[in-house]
Amino acid sequence: MHLYFTLLLLSACAMSYSQQDSLDFSLEKEIMVESFMQDQAIDEEFNYNDLFDELSYLRRNPLNLNAISPNDLNQFPFLSPLQKTSLVGYLLDHGPLLSVFELQAIPFFDLQTIKNLLPFVTIGQSTFDPLPDNWSAEGNHQIIMRWSRTLEQKRGFEKNENEQRPYAGDPNQWYLRYRFTFSNRLSFGFTAEKDEGETFFNGSNSQGFDFYSGHFFLQNPNGKLRAVAVGDFSISMGQGLILFNGFSTRKGPQTIQVKRLGQVIRRYSSVNETDFFRGAGVTVSLSKTLQFTPFISSKKQDANIEEEMLENESAAVFATSLQNSGKHRTESEIMDEKAVRQTAIGGILTWSNRHWQISLNTLYNRLGKNLKRTSALYNQYFFAGRQLFNSSFDYSYTWRNIHFFGETAASEKDALASANGVLISLDPKLDIALLHRHFPRNYQALNPKPFAETTGARNESGLYLGLELTPLPQWKVNVYFDQWRHPWLRFRSDAPSKGHEWLTRINYKIRRKMEAHFQIKNEVKMENTDAPDGRFDRLHLRKNVQGRIHLSYQLTKSLEWRSRAYAGFTEINGERLKGTAMFQDLKFKAIGFPISFTARYAIFDTEDYAIRFYAYENDVLNSFTVPAYFDRGSRFFLLVGLRFRNGLLLETRVARTSYVNQQTIGSGNDEIDGTNKTDLKVQLRWNF
């Protein structure tokens, strides 16, 4: 009877997913994005389209589990390293899978894992299958067109006394993408985007859009070539000490997801204008256990350019910083656009068997102009010059229920950075993650993304411990504690500093009916505060405590209700700032019905931006919105989708934020004179 019930449940999961033709983020993944934003502060920006795009692509082009490599499994963020190793070992021991129902026999695979995996995989022959002659007729075309804008006028679009505007373009945002895919073997297409304030078919963008991206990506064209990428592509190395393109997890409720996992090389079709390569790369199977991925890239990078007069009265041109905002609206931003050419050459040699994976990674970067940063104490160890060479060694090893992993990387000036961890499944109900990192102040890399408190993989040492406990099928408890120190100065920390934080989350779930969780996070770190005498800044401990309660309930098969409440405070130098927020969601989506909608109403009251709450909002497909709730006011959004039988999906989204304690919104050129901000977005997607 138990086996019958299990098979019935798996069948229902497969059927429910097969009847959906869009990918919605689960509550757990929404929380992951919110946690990432909560830790961002001012360090960096990230375009979450890349995270959605990978899963959405796999949804339309499922992977054949009988023909995958360990690297292919890195596309699934919900699979743990132990689960991936178990799947590979099961295939080696028992041969190809005969049915998806056989997944339940794999160690460490539970029903929730199988449910998460089913939409993205299929079962087929394990032998190599060349592209058929009719691939062009059997493939899928997709076109996405999107327009959006803020309805209220920002200062950047107002004319000054000279009848000129700070922003060169209009407030409309445009997005266009075309992609052709055949199974999960072939993908090619292009993406174009224009941000608000950028010119369109005039001025600095006489060619049309401000940003263009194109890719050609082929998997397994023959027995030796595993992947071929031409145009724009992404590369991931080890634990991110040298390089990791795309989304990378940060500290959050997914307390045991500390290992960097990503395909070595993959196509790129997002709109982040800096976090990718432009050129060519391949992955070649040298033997059953050895793979080599060489790549080369050359693209122009935004940079702040200055000139310096030399003694011989000649001018030396150099860059003071590399820009990554991708915005080209004002005269200075346009001058910085594509100011420096960046050339990158690298390679990844990987040896793997059932239990081991060892890789040697190299990356050489050369800039077209000398990078000479503005002098400051905190950045005197940052990279400066024209060329940088990095190399690293990364590994992973699985022994029974224990998975070891790590990376050690070298940069110039004999600097060594390392990150090493272990994942242990002590019991089907208890998993542990432990990660130690050591990044010296003089370690240098252009685009590292390791698991850490700060970005840059420098000036930090820390130890992280995470637990995930499932005492009962409906209950899950996640806990982590992280402690770190910065032996050198940092931006806004004019002395060596340290900190620690912990998080506890208790989740209760009744499958397909109800989910609730309680979460509290406490963070203590050192940062500058204004000295009473005004002579210099001093370091003080800053404490930030945030808690929340969430409840989602499936009212009917088509209607879901969600409610969440936040409360917290931040305390620094004896001053405490408090805040609260809450929202109500209503989501309607019926299989076979052409109209769907999601609506939210939120209210918030905080005493400062320092105590802000991030809340993921449903958006049009391939787009994300994660606003910060702060000050005093309210916000609502409404997302409506209309599906047509010929593969067309029309989506419209309106969001409005209203404040009651201020007369303007934003600052600088983005300032709005008024108490309301309204954003409108319309998107048309066509699959044919």
Side-chain angles (χ1 to χ4, degrees), residues 317-353:
V317 180
F318 59 91
T320 59
S321 63
L322 301 178
Q323 307 294 327
N324 59 9
S325 70
K327 307 292 186 182
H328 310 116
R329 306 160 298 181
T330 64
E331 182 179 354
S332 60
E333 289 175 345
I334 293 174
M335 290 180 62
D336 293 345
E337 183 178 6
K338 300 179 180 179
V340 173
R341 179 168 291 279
Q342 179 182 349
T343 301
I345 302 175
I348 304 170
L349 182 64
T350 301
W351 175 83
S352 61
N353 63 14

Side-chain angles (χ1 to χ4, degrees), residues 151-322:
L151 300 186
E152 291 79 12
Q153 182 170 270
K154 298 182 178 180
R155 178 177 293 181
F157 300 105
E158 297 176 355
K159 293 183 178 180
N160 56 25
E161 60 275 7
N162 299 322
E163 294 296 311
Q164 295 181 341
R165 301 182 306 176
Y167 288 163
D170 59 56
N172 298 308
Q173 294 180 261
W174 294 97
Y175 172 89
L176 173 65
R177 188 178 84 173
Y178 165 77
R179 176 188 284 182
F180 172 86
T181 56
F182 173 76
S183 181
N184 53 32
R185 303 284 302 283
L186 175 65
S187 173
F188 61 82
F190 71 90
T191 304
E193 186 197 42
K194 169 208 173 297
D195 293 314
E196 68 168 354
E198 296 176 340
T199 57
F200 194 45
F201 285 101
N202 59 63
S204 61
N205 291 321
S206 58
Q207 77 283 3
F209 291 86
D210 177 76
F211 174 71
Y212 288 96
S213 174
H215 76 278
F216 176 89
F217 189 78
L218 182 62
Q219 291 197 93
N220 300 323
N222 58 47
K224 291 293 183 180
L225 285 178
R226 299 290 298 180
V228 177
V230 179
D232 294 346
F233 59 93
S234 298
I235 293 288
S236 296
M237 293 181 174
Q239 294 306 299
L241 298 186
I242 296 179
L243 172 70
F244 203 92
N245 290 143
F247 184 82
S248 51
T249 56
R250 299 283 291 270
K251 288 179 287 186
Q254 292 72 29
T255 51
I256 60 172
Q257 293 186 11
V258 297
K259 183 182 179 182
R260 289 285 181 263
L261 297 170
Q263 277 188 291
V264 173
I265 185 171
R266 65 185 185 277
R267 68 199 171 284
Y268 182 83
S269 60
S270 188
V271 290
N272 185 307
E273 300 185 22
T274 59
D275 197 19
F276 68 96
F277 289 104
R278 177 164 290 172
V282 297
T283 296
V284 183
S285 290
L286 303 179
S287 67
K288 291 184 178 181
T289 58
L290 195 63
Q291 289 190 353
F292 180 52
T293 303
F295 61 92
I296 184 170
S297 167
S298 180
K299 67 174 183 176
K300 292 185 177 181
Q301 172 83 14
D302 292 358
N304 188 3
I305 301 298
E306 291 188 8
E307 292 186 3
E308 181 181 31
M309 297 302 299
L310 304 179
E311 295 181 356
N312 59 4
E313 298 185 354
S314 62
V317 180
F318 59 91
T320 59
S321 63
L322 301 178

Side-chain angles (χ1 to χ4, degrees), residues 15-29:
M15 291 175 62
S16 64
Y17 274 105
S18 66
Q19 293 177 44
Q20 299 177 10
D21 54 2
S22 67
L23 179 64
D24 295 318
F25 257 50
S26 68
L27 178 61
E28 185 175 351
K29 294 182 179 64

Side-chain angles (χ1 to χ4, degrees), residues 580 603-608 629-635 657-662 675:
T580 58
I603 56 175
F604 46 90
D605 184 1
T606 73
E607 296 180 345
D608 191 80
Y629 296 162
F630 64 96
D631 285 333
R632 174 181 287 180
S634 62
R635 177 177 172 86
T657 306
S658 300
Y659 294 92
V660 298
N661 65 332
Q662 53 182 302
T675 61

